[in-house]
Amino acid sequence: MSPSWSPSPGPGSWQPDANAIRELAQLLVSAPPGAELLMQALEQIAQHTAATACTIARLVAQAPAGSSPGLVPLLAFPRPSHEKERSAHVLTLDHAPTLRHMVKREQTIVVRQDGSTGHSLSAQERKALQWDAYQSACLVPLCGESRVLGVMAVFEARSWGRAPFKPERVRYLDDAGVLLACALLRMDAEERVCQDGEKLDWIRRAQQLQLIADIGSRLTGIEDTSQIARLAVETL
């Protein structure tokens, strides 16, 4: 499918921006976590990197216990034209060799359609990641609480020569993935609280603030993590 917006044309058009990760962090703590906030984050990431598309899929446990986890589509920017018809089918990692490799190693990998990176995406994997046509892709594991929560996939329709995933571009996406993982943990915490019919107490607030500060301290693009914590105090 074709995106509803056009990434910047021309070779080497993407340049790293020292403020980009800070702006993304500010966005993700500016409001309660939810699908709409994550969609805004995906849009910001796609536009900053001039990528064709940016998607998130969640990793879910499957029965019986001990079974290989599965991947479920969550969000995509731009929104797929077939979004209303999107299947909630779970792709078991046993049938997704490239994604299984990424999840097992908890490392970002770059995929080229010609297979020159040693990795390629099957039709099932592309479906789970909500994007079909691409020349290259960057797959980022979203890790938190010592586990993989999901996958961010950034797709590029332009040729490698025009829009490669250079190290600085991948580094930004790694940092963005850390922030998205934090947002997913906040979403999960909110859902558990809502299910229990309770309000966030001061202990939960302190835990979330510590989580944001810990994750923020890992980011290469942010030096002052106290700014993130101050924003979180205002919104939690």
Side-chain angles (χ1 to χ4, degrees), residues 3 14-15 80 85 98 110 190 200:
W14 188 83
Q15 295 294 330
E85 303 172 3
T98 296
V110 173
E190 291 279 358
L200 287 174

Side-chain angles (χ1 to χ4, degrees), residues 98 109-120 135-137 160:
T98 296
I109 62 174
V110 173
V111 174
R112 289 178 64 174
Q113 193 177 43
D114 60 13
S116 59
T117 59
H119 302 288
S120 61
Q135 293 294 324
S136 59
W160 186 266

Side-chain angles (χ1 to χ4, degrees), residues 7-10 13 49-52 135-136 156-163 169:
S8 302
S13 59
T49 58
T52 304
Q135 293 294 324
S136 59
E156 183 57 73
R158 294 170 292 175
S159 69
W160 186 266
R162 294 184 62 200
R169 198 181 189 196

Side-chain angles (χ1 to χ4, degrees), residues 37-118:
L37 187 65
L38 284 178
M39 181 62 79
Q40 292 177 36
L42 289 183
E43 179 177 4
Q44 188 167 312
I45 292 167
Q47 291 182 343
H48 175 67
T49 58
T52 304
C54 187
T55 74
I56 295 179
R58 289 298 307 260
L59 203 66
V60 296
Q62 297 195 91
S67 297
S68 178
L71 206 64
V72 179
L74 182 62
L75 292 168
F77 176 85
R79 295 180 189 271
S81 58
H82 59 281
E83 184 176 31
K84 292 182 179 180
E85 303 172 3
R86 186 179 67 201
S87 170
H89 173 71
V90 178
L91 174 62
T92 302
L93 289 189
D94 283 342
H95 303 138
T98 296
L99 292 172
R100 183 176 68 247
H101 175 83
M102 184 214 64
V103 169
K104 182 179 180 180
R105 292 178 176 267
E106 296 186 11
Q107 291 180 345
T108 297
I109 62 174
V110 173
V111 174
R112 289 178 64 174
Q113 193 177 43
D114 60 13
S116 59
T117 59

Side-chain angles (χ1 to χ4, degrees), residues 9-38:
S13 59
W14 188 83
Q15 295 294 330
D17 181 351
N19 293 320
I21 281 295
R22 190 183 302 275
E23 291 170 0
L24 182 62
Q26 290 171 343
L27 170 67
L28 286 171
V29 295
S30 65
E36 192 56 40
L37 187 65
L38 284 178

